[in-house]
Amino acid sequence: MVVTHDMARELPRTMRSLATPHQRGIHRGDYEVVVVDNGSPQPALASVPSGSEASIRLHRIDEAMASPAHAANVGISLARGELIGLVIDGARMASPGLVAQALLASTVVGRPVVTAPAWHLGPSPHAQAEAVGYDQTVEDDLLSRSAWEDDGYELFAIATPAPSSGRGLFGPMGESSSLFLHRDLWAELGGLDERFALPGGGMVNHDLYRRACALAGAQLVVLLGEGTFHQTHGGAATSGRITRDEMRADYEAIRGEPHRPPSARALYVGSVPPQYLQYIATSVELAQGAAEPHRRAAAGESEPQRGPERP
């Protein structure tokens, strides 16, 4: 289930990445892609590649809200499958095993919450894109030279972990940009909270992921070797039009407490392409660094002197 608004440039690549043959280990008839057009000036139908090898259903909301929460809930209600995956941002391309591995992961425990780390195309998170000279023209050239359409795992080689996945595989994720739940768990959640009404939804996605991980008996399952890749498009959060402080304040007003990433312990399912190995190595270093204070405390050792903290 994909929500889109004014993404004539980005949506075609997203749709190609979600279709076979880009999606591997799965057949066209095994899944559908529901696209909800949240009031795009140019209807999304014009952005779906002709002859796309996927079962695609389009639904348009003319009187759209600034937040994608309502559109996402509409899309979830339209989905016919037992396992429903949400990609709330139509600018997010998918790695080649995302759908097949999510289906596999959904079978390993009784109440799975399945997700994959999120990435931003280019050398930095997109909130800092302008500072490093990264824009849509640079991104188009980067993608054209990457051969991602021949091997979608090449996207890892030209991307940076999103801030929500910046703690690495073994640290808590702040949100899920590809959330897969069985239909009954979506019903328990009640979908996305439509009180998150800021443009772009503010922290509605963070809230959804946190609530999913907190469901009774839920087990977080993280896909190894898979991810989604955000294309720069002037989104409310990644462009800075809505600041992090505004989003945090909105979350606190709705939930009555500051947001914290869920602390659910993950199971890992999947395989590792060569392009993913550096992320694993970095994730191990981050996890070891996070564990060091606990090790020292358990051993009764004092904390080492630290230099100035990095910004």
Side-chain angles (χ1 to χ4, degrees):
M1 212 300 295
V2 177
V3 179
T4 184
H5 172 76
D6 197 17
M7 295 179 181
R9 167 186 171 270
E10 297 81 23
L11 186 60
R13 286 191 288 237
T14 295
M15 297 304 293
R16 283 199 295 274
S17 76
L18 286 170
T20 56
H22 181 88
Q23 285 298 314
R24 304 176 187 175
I26 195 164
H27 299 290
R28 174 177 177 173
D30 293 338
Y31 69 108
E32 65 176 356
V33 181
V34 178
V35 180
V36 178
D37 180 357
N38 196 33
S40 298
Q42 177 184 355
L45 178 61
S47 300
V48 175
S50 60
S52 183
E53 289 297 315
S55 175
I56 298 172
R57 289 196 292 141
L58 289 165
H59 180 84
R60 179 173 170 84
I61 299 175
D62 288 313
E63 297 183 4
M65 300 178 183
S67 168
H70 175 68
N73 285 336
V74 169
I76 291 165
S77 72
L78 293 173
R80 295 177 292 200
E82 169 58 28
L83 181 69
I84 302 172
L86 172 64
V87 178
I88 199 171
D89 186 344
R92 285 195 170 275
M93 301 163 69
S95 60
L98 183 71
V99 177
Q101 293 301 317
L103 280 169
L104 173 63
S106 74
T107 67
V108 300
V109 292
R111 288 166 62 83
V113 174
V114 181
T115 189
W119 298 68
H120 287 186
L121 292 173
S124 72
H126 286 167
Q128 289 85 50
E130 184 177 351
V132 299
Y134 187 80
D135 58 19
Q136 291 182 337
T137 300
V138 175
E139 184 169 272
D140 290 342
D141 182 61
L142 186 69
L143 285 165
S144 69
R145 292 185 288 106
S146 71
W148 74 270
E149 292 186 82
D150 296 324
D151 180 3
Y153 291 111
E154 285 298 314
L155 291 170
F156 286 113
I158 59 169
T160 301
S164 61
S165 298
R167 300 176 185 89
L169 273 169
F170 312 116
M173 288 171 49
E175 65 173 315
S176 168
S177 296
S178 52
L179 183 64
F180 295 82
L181 305 172
H182 286 298
R183 180 177 293 276
D184 58 344
L185 293 191
W186 280 113
E188 284 186 43
L189 278 178
L192 288 79
D193 189 334
E194 295 184 21
R195 291 178 294 172
F196 287 89
L198 288 175
M203 297 188 76
V204 66
N205 216 26
H206 299 70
D207 175 71
L208 177 70
Y209 178 57
R210 181 172 175 81
R211 289 191 292 118
C213 289
L215 288 172
Q219 173 62 61
L220 177 62
V221 186
V222 174
L223 301 180
L224 284 172
E226 307 299 338
T228 61
F229 303 85
H230 187 261
Q231 303 168 72
T232 185
H233 64 99
T238 52
S239 69
R241 285 192 289 115
I242 303 296
T243 68
R244 287 287 173 187
D245 286 343
E246 289 176 290
M247 292 192 292
R248 292 189 187 102
D250 184 57
Y251 181 93
E252 290 187 34
I254 293 170
R255 289 289 169 226
E257 61 181 0
H259 174 264
R260 293 182 178 84
S263 57
R265 188 179 294 272
L267 294 177
Y268 298 89
V269 171
S271 56
V272 178
Q275 301 92 329
Y276 197 80
L277 289 172
Q278 182 57 55
Y279 184 54
I280 290 182
T282 301
S283 295
V284 171
E285 291 179 3
L286 289 169
Q288 288 174 331
E292 182 63 13
H294 301 286
R295 186 197 69 78
R296 288 182 172 276
E301 300 175 9
S302 60
E303 285 290 314
Q305 293 292 325
R306 297 181 180 179
E309 290 191 5
R310 296 181 181 178

